[in-house]
Amino acid sequence: MAEQITPREVSYSDWFVDIVLKAQLADYSPVKGCMVIRPRGYAIWEKIQSHLDRMFKETGHQNAYFPLLIPESFLHKEAEHVEGFSPELAVVTHGGGEALEEPLVVRPTSETIIWSMYKKWIQSYRDLPLLINQWANVVRWEKRTRLFLRTTEFLWQEGHTAHATREEAEEEALRMLHVYRKFAEEYLALPVFYGRKTESEKFAGAVTTYSIEAMMQDKKALQAGTSHFLGQNFAKAFDVTFQTQAGSLDYVWATSWGVSTRLIGAVIMAHSDNRGLVLPPRIAPTQAVIIPIYTKKTVDQVADYAKRVFARLTEAGLSVEMDLDDQNSPGWKFAEWELRGVPIRVEVGPRDMEQEKAVLVRRDTGEKRAVSVSRLPEEIPVLLEEIQKTLFRRAKDFRDEHTHYVEDYDSFKRIIEDGGFVFAPWSGSPEVEARIKEETKATIRVLEFGNEEKASGKNDILTGEPARHIALFAKSY
Amino acid sequence: MAEQITPREVSYSDWFVDIVLKAQLADYSPVKGCMVIRPRGYAIWEKIQSHLDRMFKETGHQNAYFPLLIPESFLHKEAEHVEGFSPELAVVTHGGGEALEEPLVVRPTSETIIWSMYKKWIQSYRDLPLLINQWANVVRWEKRTRLFLRTTEFLWQEGHTAHATREEAEEEALRMLHVYRKFAEEYLALPVFYGRKTESEKFAGAVTTYSIEAMMQDKKALQAGTSHFLGQNFAKAFDVTFQTQAGSLDYVWATSWGVSTRLIGAVIMAHSDNRGLVLPPRIAPTQAVIIPIYTKKTVDQVADYAKRVFARLTEAGLSVEMDLDDQNSPGWKFAEWELRGVPIRVEVGPRDMEQEKAVLVRRDTGEKRAVSVSRLPEEIPVLLEEIQKTLFRRAKDFRDEHTHYVEDYDSFKRIIEDGGFVFAPWSGSPEVEARIKEETKATIRVLEFGNEEKASGKNDILTGEPARHIALFAKSY
Ligand SMILES: [Zn+2]
Ligand SMILES: [Zn+2]
């Protein structure tokens, strides 16, 4: 048998770790809180990167690269920013065998170093907008870490844009929120709720933080991407002004936005099952795996047949692997490739060979169908899209089933306790938000756009005061 | 006028810095020795990455990602390795507000952390070969830095492979040397000498280091890529053994190989001229720029015509920019886009418009030709390939003109003094190598394959002792 993984029902967190380790997506490293992303995991990141990078470029952004190490004093220039990140910093104190005059922090995020450069590059409205993205590693000293979801070092992209007007910057922050939403839904097959964060949950240094929130199979929320309208906070901290078209001087308006390798964790947790990884086809590095089913007499012929099918699919531009091993049984191989999350299994046995056919087996449903080999180059892409849609639909049904609207605190507590998302009226008071968090561990994930209107006439779930929002509450990663 | 750059003849190093800064390829950062790679520079790196990554995958390698931070003790496990890298380390001593029990170094290269993982992953010959590459940032504390060529932080790729036999590992190290040579010649238009490094010049921890060496326009050598056969050094340091097919236990054999953002510096230095950057078309992010030539009455029509040409070229899959600005003169724009290194200028004026033509101007030679718009989608790719070939030929002619074979030390010293590469007989003595370096600043760049045969009957250039090698000497970056 292929390696066993702990069933979800027995331990959700062991199930997750088992999939990550046994599908060889990542491994623990000797450096506390840091993981190694193994080839099968990194290939998913490459798929995510290639789609997102295209979407960023289609919306006018260019990539650049800024230093890893940031003078410690830079973080102090924006008061909320330093307060937010100070507890998480890794600090370089020695370089080239000598103590540094000023310590350098390993970037936890790059607003400060980037805005110190924008000061050099921006003088006039003609230099705006400046639409830059960076693919990079960042380090945040985390006390409790989890593979992919929260690691001391992680890979991400961080967009940093500069604009002449408040409106344009706000538009950009929303544009990128929608790029993330679209990417999550169409590529990761993750339905998301989206909107803005409350004051207590927003990014350190932002005026407004927007996020997308997905439900995992344990009914907890996972923040899958954030986009920040930074106002003029960083422009003021780094004194970045520009000459407006009218000739006056103004501070530049800013946004930043990012997603990380955490998305891989989200995808694993949202779609996988007790047999292992389930991957949305659009981000699956391998779309199909060919497994020959040998009988003792037919090993050579069936292997040749498998190779012909492999060649045909590869020529058609499909990304295919083939498992020609003749030691392990077909059943063992089926389990192994299911564990690895390849969306389609292509079985070819002696009888299929005679009929010039193959059997396609879906990873998501187990459904089988026999198809002529000549039809495979058309059938497989169609089937991949069906799987993609099924995964999205399944995740959405699950989420909707576990998302409730309530108006009384007892129901609220019960649902949060059982697991699920709760929309509930909220007064807008940070004290209420804090007390609910303390009592239930649920936080406000987002305030959806237009939620205020729906709150009219409702009463705060905790205090009964007039509600100003319908907020989405959940326990989260 | 577009911004002036210092002529090569006045100051080669100012010329280089001017191109980097004024073509907006990179900028100095507030962190000592670290640079910012700006979008126009980073786009070149993206081209380099995409071609190399494909070549790595075609030779069976997969990408992965290992931690940035390495326990300091790991470097001490391989004696030569720690000696080589200790003076260059950046050290993290504090994390999350507390002093670390063991300092972590920011990776200067990843052999140690990777081999600590290979110990977990390799048990049997069935786990081999392991062919992994990583795209990453690294930090080496450099005393004297130069944009692109030597920076404290730089971007690179590092391949790390593990093999069951010495022969297979040696083959791999040579395979990757040839991948680098091919990439340098066919994509960067850089002719290179290649071979192995002497003992004193090899990588700290390697058994053999191979490199490719290109000549810059100041006739100095630039090491553009290295591939190392590491023997069993790291396997022994990290106790990585495997069960052989015969059932015995053996240490694993290793290679590592890398190229970095230094390649961008090499390309700039090898091909550019006094008008600015010259880029080989195959790594030019923008292949052609369309510049409308307006007369006062024709601005709108010519702009429309330019847009039509732009649409046609973009549809044909070409990467094109367009400069529709109507404030700057055509001459100003010509200079600006020459500075930026776009290989082909497409001029469209009122007369071209009448004839449905455009004038193509080569960045490398200034040569012009009028072409029907309908023919552009075929003509431009052909012209780009001509430019690619011309740049290679020009660089090769220049290099060959300044590469000499000598047998007497006076000629040797004169050529090194004037600038150039010198092949000369060498006894193989490290003392001779050191004395030549001290007296002339020239180092042995490589010992070409088969050089030993050519040395037969020759005498060492310095001592007159019997020569064992014909070595390539040069001053270098
Ligand atoms: Zn501080
Ligand atoms: Zn030490």
Side-chain angles (χ1 to χ4, degrees), chain A residues 51 182-191 267 271 278-284 287 343-344 362 364 380-395:
Chain A
H51 293 301
K182 189 180 159 77
F183 178 73
E185 296 190 345
E186 295 182 8
Y187 291 87
L188 308 181
L190 280 183
V267 164
H271 300 301
V278 175
L279 273 182
R282 290 190 182 178
I283 59 152
Q287 298 172 310
I344 295 175
R362 289 173 65 151
D364 58 336
I380 287 178
V382 171
L383 193 54
L384 290 169
E385 278 306 294
E386 277 176 38
I387 296 171
Q388 183 82 28
K389 286 208 187 84
T390 300
L391 293 184
F392 180 79
R393 173 54 53 195
R394 192 191 272 181

Side-chain angles (χ1 to χ4, degrees), chain A residues 46 63 65 91 93-94 153, chain B residues 46 63 65 68 91 93 153:
Chain A
E46 289 181 302
N63 291 327
Y65 189 77
V91 188
T93 55
H94 290 71
E153 182 189 11
Chain B
E46 289 181 302
N63 291 327
Y65 188 77
L68 169 74
V91 188
T93 55
E153 182 189 11

